[in-house]
Amino acid sequence: MALLIDTPVWPWRGRLWSHLVSDTDYDELHAFVEAELGIPRRAFQGDHYDVPEELHATAVAAGAESVSCRELLARLLAAGLRVRKPRASAAG
């Protein structure tokens, strides 16, 4: 299993954030996040966790692979684990 984390470049509420994903399954992802980062399971975003910039180095030191956001997405898609948001209908 590979845990992947992208660079913290995503701004929200005055902080920068990363995305942390698994390219295999969610069980080890949930266990890693709880044990290594202390982020609660309720923070899971369907296919990823948002990780604040100050925890990025902690995640990498604990075994997450730092990758670009493009590589993270490509590997998540290749694993079949990407959850896409429903598109709004044209009717509206």
Side-chain angles (χ1 to χ4, degrees), residues 7-31:
T7 306
V9 297
W10 308 100
W12 188 64
R13 294 194 176 189
R15 297 164 88 182
L16 294 177
W17 298 79
S18 296
H19 299 110
L20 180 68
V21 304
S22 167
D23 70 353
T24 307
D25 66 58
Y26 298 128
D27 292 335
E28 195 166 352
L29 174 63
H30 296 313

Side-chain angles (χ1 to χ4, degrees), residues 4 15 22 32 36 57-58 71:
L4 311 170
R15 297 164 88 182
S22 167
F32 177 87
E36 303 295 339
T58 302
E71 182 175 349

Side-chain angles (χ1 to χ4, degrees), residues 24-77:
T24 307
D25 66 58
Y26 298 128
D27 292 335
E28 195 166 352
L29 174 63
H30 296 313
F32 177 87
V33 168
E34 182 180 350
E36 303 295 339
L37 304 179
I39 296 173
R41 173 79 183 265
R42 69 180 177 274
F44 185 61
Q45 299 288 313
D47 60 10
H48 72 278
Y49 283 91
D50 292 330
V51 176
E53 179 178 32
E54 60 271 16
L55 290 178
H56 184 273
T58 302
V60 172
E65 180 183 350
S66 185
V67 297
S68 70
C69 56
R70 287 179 189 240
E71 182 175 349
L72 182 142
L73 181 58
R75 289 173 64 178
L76 191 61
L77 287 167

